[in-house]
Amino acid sequence: MSDDDDLVFKALADPTRRALLDRLFVRDGQTLTDLESELAMTRFGVMKHLRLLEEAGLVVTRRQGREKLHFLNPVPIRLIHDRWIDKYTAHHAATLLELKAELERDDPKENR
């Protein structure tokens, strides 16, 4: 497993960081003030979580005037999905689709 994967898994392991990602998914390009408004923690605490998300590549920032905007970067999550989830579920999904097709072919209601 690569160091990048480790950073992403570590970032996703915390419920506060997942909540921040969910908030950015709903509305991208939020300031620190926007993101901390619904969390029961200090501004410094939110900053620490955002820094870990940035280090994992899950959040990217851009300055706009005096504000720093935070944006969701879904690429690392997609890479984790492709590497660790998709390959384990693809076979099962295909098998279930084949079973469904076979059961529908053998459905006695359709033979009337």
Side-chain angles (χ1 to χ4, degrees), residues 55-88:
E55 289 171 3
L58 294 165
V59 170
V60 293
T61 60
R62 184 178 75 223
R63 288 242 176 242
Q64 187 173 46
R66 294 173 51 184
E67 295 183 317
K68 183 178 179 181
L69 302 178
H70 299 82
F71 296 88
L72 175 65
N73 178 19
V75 173
I77 293 173
R78 181 57 195 231
L79 293 173
I80 292 292
H81 173 270
D82 292 350
R83 168 68 175 93
W84 292 101
I85 298 168
D86 194 45
K87 74 178 182 182
Y88 293 106

Side-chain angles (χ1 to χ4, degrees), residues 21-107:
L21 293 174
D22 286 340
R23 296 208 44 213
L24 290 172
F25 180 81
V26 171
R27 185 170 64 86
D28 224 1
Q30 295 187 58
T31 65
L32 174 60
T33 302
D34 295 333
L35 291 168
E36 73 173 318
S37 67
E38 292 183 27
L39 295 174
M41 65 175 31
T42 65
R43 184 175 185 86
F44 182 71
V46 175
M47 288 171 54
K48 285 176 61 175
H49 284 293
L50 285 170
R51 186 172 40 250
L52 278 169
L53 290 169
E54 286 182 60
E55 289 171 3
L58 294 165
V59 170
V60 293
T61 60
R62 184 178 75 223
R63 288 242 176 242
Q64 187 173 46
R66 294 173 51 184
E67 295 183 317
K68 183 178 179 181
L69 302 178
H70 299 82
F71 296 88
L72 175 65
N73 178 19
V75 173
I77 293 173
R78 181 57 195 231
L79 293 173
I80 292 292
H81 173 270
D82 292 350
R83 168 68 175 93
W84 292 101
I85 298 168
D86 194 45
K87 74 178 182 182
Y88 293 106
T89 60
H91 173 71
H92 298 294
T95 302
L96 289 173
L97 288 173
E98 290 171 10
L99 177 61
K100 179 182 181 291
E102 185 176 324
L103 291 172
E104 288 173 348
R105 274 194 306 274
D106 296 337
D107 190 352

